[in-house]
Structure formats: structure tokens, C-alpha cells
């Protein structure tokens, strides 16, 4: 990795300052400082506009740093309280909400989703033909809530065999911020579309958690944003997590950049809602997408993950957490070498098969705007890394951040 003069200066400063860093039991402060040089270099070389990284070890935040720019073109520096679009990192939060409702007797995850959402009582599946085309057949069995939690309901993002039908219905892609309708109505229409696979047949990533968000509304008797704000965010102290940005926090939202295949950063096209800045500030504010709609900070998301790592309190019991963070796919886990998928989390059983540093028992996921997290209970480690790049062609920062975090553990 080429080293600019500014990076060389930082390395010299770090070498001097490392002598004065406090000792942290279980973690090397000097080795953690290597993260500074790495992240700063990626900013200087134009690979990322900026980022925030928070590392928590045994309940203590041992590293929390912002680098680069929240808005590179305006020269606005990234801050540790910068707010990010977390996209699919929303899924773990909404999945946890479903387990909270099970603990309150409002539902069982093994029951048919159609008990609460009638349009899912009897769904249809598009089956691709051997020579092109497809036929539509009845689902072999009802979709369960567990199918939605594990993404085994056969529901994608509208790009399966019947893609043209989904496109005509305006139901392709994970982005919901521009929709001027309640999530319950969108989910009602999704239920009438031909799905990509039979329930329980294979792992299909898609609208499952958006459907769960509507299910939370029915089971709780309130809107998804209100349930999360009252029952999860408030108890955990997550004061900067929401579906749409309060006007007073507008200047804290990071700008989204696009990375070209040539490795250059640029602002995405303004008229592309999926890849632009989105409608998180001035949008209709009616669609609460449980699958990809939330905004958050590294501090707030760490609060959630630390609660899960410690056993769930104050939002969940220890046994619910164990079920959520354990592989639930079994023989369907072929898409996850060395791991699987729980109830809203990716899981790790064999780091060797993943060729990544880590431990059995890890749970993790990320978001389309290039955010990522993982929790390693064996090492009492929680890591949240956030930047805003979509698409992020050719970036290797996730793997390198992981390697640099683990090399700092004594």
C-alpha cells in the first residue's frame, strides 16, 4: 500500500503517542493504533470518503474513531456521532422485535405468518422452466414466521423467475424511502406476487424482514417505528436511531458516494433513488422498512449488539438470544461456508472454512451502503464499522479492518 507524506507523518506521531497510551487489559493499545494509519491511508488514497469504527472489548469501548469526511466535497469532517444509512443492518433489530413479541405471548415464530397477515395464508411460486419461461404453482405449505426470520420463505427482492411481474408492480429492490404508503400496504401487495422458491426449499434473501415489520405492527397494535422507539431504542439508550432523520440532525447525516470499477469516488446520480442520497430527510416519511430503512450511529448500534452479546437484557431473554444467534438453516446453509444464518443474524461455526479471523459462535451482518458489524462472544468483542459507499466495487476494507482488530487482541 503506497504511503503518502501525510500518512508518514501520522505514523511518526502514532509511534510517539503509543508510548503514552493507557494499558487495556486483553487489548494492545499500540496495536490498535495501527487502525489509525490504515483508515487514514484509505481516506488519503481516495478509497473511502471517511468512516467511523467502534471496537468494544469485554464491555469497554477500546477504540472509537472517525476519519475522513462526512461530506468530502463540502470539507465537513466525519465525527464519531455521524449518522449513517444502515440498510440491512435494520434486519437484526426488527428480528429482535419479533422475538420480543414472542416473549410477550403475542405470537409464536413457528406459526403461519398468515395468522397475522392473511395475504400470506396461501401464496404462489414461480417455477422456472427448463427451456426458459416459468409456471406459477401454489405454495406447498404456508409460510411461517420462522421462514421469514431465516430467509427461507422463498421471497426475494423481485428479481426471480417472474421478475417482470414484480417490476410492473413496482416491487423490485430493497429501497422503500420514496414510497408514499404504509409498509402494511406494500407488504399486502408483495403477498400476492409469485415467489422465487417454495417455503423451506432454500435460502432466498429478500423482503422477508419488511414483511416481519408489518407483522410487528399487527401483533403489537402500533406502528413499527413507534414499537422500536418505545420498546427497544428507549430502553437501550439508542437516541440516534430512526427511520427518517429529525430536521435538527440533518447536518450529521453522512453523504453517500459511489465507487466506480476504476476505483474512483463520485457522488451518485441525484435522480436515482436507489443509489442517490435517498429520501431519509425530505421523503414522504410513511414507509417504515424493517428490512433496510433505518438510520443509526456506531454508538447506538453497539448498544444493541452489546445487549445481545450479554444475553439480551433489557429487551430479550438469554434463551431468545441463543436461538437468534445459532444457525437455523441446517442442510440449507450451503450458501454460508463455515457458517449459517440464525434469526436475523449471519452465524459462524468454522472460521477456517471462511478464511477469516474469528471464532465459532460469531454473529454478523452488514448493509448495502457499506456498513458492517460482527460480534465474537468468545473474545467478548463487538465491532461496528460504518461508511457510505454504494456501490463499493473492489473495496477490501472489511477484511482488513477485521484483521487489524484481531491482531490487537493479546
Amino acid at each position: 500500500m503506497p504511503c503518502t507524506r501525510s500518512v508518514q507523518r501520522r505514523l511518526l506521531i502514532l509511534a510517539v503517542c503509543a508510548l503514552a497510551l493507557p494499558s487495556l487489559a486483553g487489548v494492545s493499545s499500540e496495536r490498535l493504533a495501527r487502525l489509525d494509519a490504515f483508515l487514514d491511508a484509505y481516506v488519503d488514497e481516495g478509497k473511502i470518503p471517511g468512516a467511523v469504527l467502534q471496537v468494544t472489548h469485554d464491555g469497554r469501548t477500546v477504540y472509537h474513531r472517525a476519519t475522513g469526511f462526512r461530506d468530502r466535497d463540502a470539507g465537513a469532517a466525519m465525527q464519531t456521532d455521524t449518522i449513517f444509512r444502515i440498510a440491512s443492518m435494520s434486519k437484526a433489530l426488527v428480528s429482535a422485535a419479533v422475538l420480543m413479541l414472542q416473549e410477550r405471548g403475542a405470537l409464536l415464530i413457528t406459526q403461519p405468518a398468515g395468522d397475522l397477515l392473511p395475504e400470506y395464508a396461501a401464496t404462489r411460486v414461480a417455477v422456472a422452466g427448463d427451456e426458459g419461461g416459468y409456471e406459477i404453482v401454489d405454495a406447498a405449505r404456508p409460510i411461517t414466521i420462522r421462514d421469514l426470520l431465516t430467509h427461507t420463505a422463498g421471497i426475494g427482492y423481485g428479481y426471480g423467475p417472474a421478475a417482470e411481474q414484480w417490476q410492473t408492480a413496482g416491487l423490485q429492490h430493497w429501497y422503500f424511502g420514496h414510497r408514499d404508503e404504509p409498509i402494511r400496504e406494500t407488504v399486502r401487495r408483495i403477498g400476492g406476487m409469485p415467489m422465487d422458491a417454495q417455503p423451506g426449499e432454500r435460502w432466498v434473501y429478500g423482503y422477508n424482514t419488511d414483511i416481519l415489520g408489518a407483522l410487528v405492527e399487527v401483533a403489537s397494535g402500533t406502528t413499527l417505528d413507534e414499537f422500536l422507539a418505545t420498546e427497544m431504542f428507549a430502553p437501550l439508550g439508542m437516541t440516534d436511531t430512526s427511520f427518517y432523520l429529525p430536521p435538527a440532525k440533518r447536518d450529521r447525516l453522512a453523504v453517500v458516494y459511489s465507487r466506480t470499477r476504476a476505483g474512483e469516488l463520485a457522488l451518485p446520480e441525484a435522480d436515482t433513488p436507489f443509489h442517490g442520497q435517498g429520501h431519509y430527510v425530505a421523503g414522504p416519511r410513511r414507509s417504515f422498512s424493517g428490512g433496510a430503512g433505518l438510520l443509526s450511529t456506531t454508538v447506538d448500534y453497539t448498544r444493541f449488539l452489546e445487549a445481545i452479546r450479554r444475553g439480551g437484557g433489557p429487551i430479550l431473554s438469554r434463551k431468545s438470544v441463543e436461538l437468534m444467534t445459532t444457525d437455523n438453516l441446517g442442510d440449507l446453509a450451503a450458501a454460508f461456508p463455515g457458517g449459517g444464518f440464525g434469526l436475523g443474524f449471519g452465524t459462524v461455526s468454522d472460521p477456517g472454512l471462511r478464511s477469516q479471523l474469528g471464532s465459532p459462535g460469531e454473529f454478523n451482518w452488514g448493509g448495502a451502503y457499506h456498513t458492517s458489524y460482527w460480534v465474537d462472544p468468545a473474545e467478548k468483542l463487538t465491532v461496528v464499522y460504518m461508511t457510505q459507499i454504494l456501490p463499493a466495487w473492489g473495496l477490501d476494507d472489511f477484511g482488513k479492518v477485521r484483521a487489524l482488530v484481531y491482531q490487537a487482541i493479546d
Side-chain angles (χ1 to χ4, degrees), residues 125-128 134-136 158-168 172 193-196:
V125 178
V127 180
Y134 61 89
E135 65 174 326
I136 296 177
Y159 298 98
E164 81 285 353
Q165 291 194 37
W166 290 77
Q167 183 180 35
T168 300
Q172 282 184 331
M193 302 301 294
M195 307 308 179
D196 294 357

Side-chain angles (χ1 to χ4, degrees), residues 37-352:
F38 165 73
L39 292 171
D40 289 347
Y42 267 43
V43 170
D44 288 344
E45 295 165 13
K47 294 181 177 179
I48 60 174
V52 180
L53 173 63
Q54 184 165 347
V55 181
T56 303
H57 180 259
D58 199 11
R60 298 171 306 148
T61 294
V62 296
Y63 187 94
H64 191 203
R65 184 170 180 269
T67 186
F69 300 97
R70 175 186 63 80
D71 183 341
R72 189 177 67 164
D73 296 327
M78 189 72 78
Q79 306 291 337
T80 53
D81 68 348
T82 291
I83 296 171
F84 297 85
R85 304 155 189 80
I86 63 170
S88 286
M89 284 171 58
S90 307
K91 290 179 168 66
L93 296 162
V94 174
S95 298
V98 173
L99 271 291
M100 291 169 66
L101 288 167
Q102 178 172 257
E103 291 189 349
R104 300 176 188 193
L107 56 83
L108 285 172
I109 66 170
T110 53
Q111 76 183 95
D115 289 356
L116 290 100
L117 306 175
E119 62 272 25
Y120 291 87
T123 54
R124 301 173 302 147
V125 178
V127 180
D130 293 336
E131 299 179 2
Y134 61 89
E135 65 174 326
I136 296 177
V137 302
D138 291 337
R141 65 165 175 80
I143 292 170
T144 67
I145 297 173
R146 181 183 178 277
D147 290 331
L148 296 170
L149 286 163
T150 57
H151 292 265
T152 57
I155 303 172
Y157 276 125
Y159 298 98
E164 81 285 353
Q165 291 194 37
W166 290 77
Q167 183 180 35
T168 300
L171 292 172
Q172 282 184 331
H173 208 278
W174 49 264
Y175 180 79
F176 277 50
H178 63 303
R179 294 186 181 277
D180 193 8
E181 66 179 2
I183 187 64
R184 180 69 187 91
E185 295 308 311
T186 309
V187 164
R188 197 185 313 276
R189 292 192 290 120
I190 290 173
M193 302 301 294
M195 307 308 179
D196 294 357
Q198 289 286 350
E201 180 181 26
R202 55 190 172 91
W203 193 80
V204 181
Y205 196 58
Y207 289 125
N208 301 271
T209 318
D210 292 293
I211 298 166
L212 289 173
L215 188 144
V216 168
E217 293 192 337
V218 173
S220 68
T222 189
T223 59
L224 180 61
D225 66 326
E226 179 63 24
F227 182 86
L228 292 176
T230 303
E231 305 298 329
M232 183 181 296
F233 301 160
L236 293 176
M238 297 172 65
T239 58
D240 287 320
T241 303
S242 61
F243 283 103
Y244 296 96
L245 197 67
K249 298 181 181 181
R250 182 172 189 151
D251 290 339
R252 290 173 55 194
L253 182 64
V255 170
V256 179
Y257 289 87
S258 293
R259 181 176 162 90
T260 69
R261 291 184 182 275
E264 299 175 347
L265 289 178
L267 286 171
E269 296 180 13
D271 62 349
T272 307
F274 300 155
H275 295 133
Q277 302 307 312
H279 295 73
Y280 299 95
V281 177
R285 294 176 178 256
R286 298 190 67 200
S287 184
F288 305 128
S289 167
L294 284 166
L295 307 165
S296 194
T297 63
T298 63
V299 172
D300 272 15
Y301 210 84
T302 295
R303 288 180 184 274
F304 167 68
L305 293 177
E306 275 289 286
I308 298 298
R309 184 187 69 82
R310 293 174 180 225
I315 59 172
L316 282 170
S317 70
R318 177 172 56 86
K319 299 310 291 184
S320 288
V321 166
E322 289 176 2
L323 184 61
M324 287 187 73
T325 58
T326 300
D327 174 46
N328 277 238
L329 295 184
D331 293 339
L332 300 181
F336 299 90
F341 200 84
L343 306 180
F345 294 104
T347 63
V348 175
S349 57
D350 187 341

Side-chain angles (χ1 to χ4, degrees), residues 355-366:
S355 297
Q356 285 187 335
L357 298 173
S359 305
E362 174 191 320
F363 52 96
N364 56 64
W365 209 243

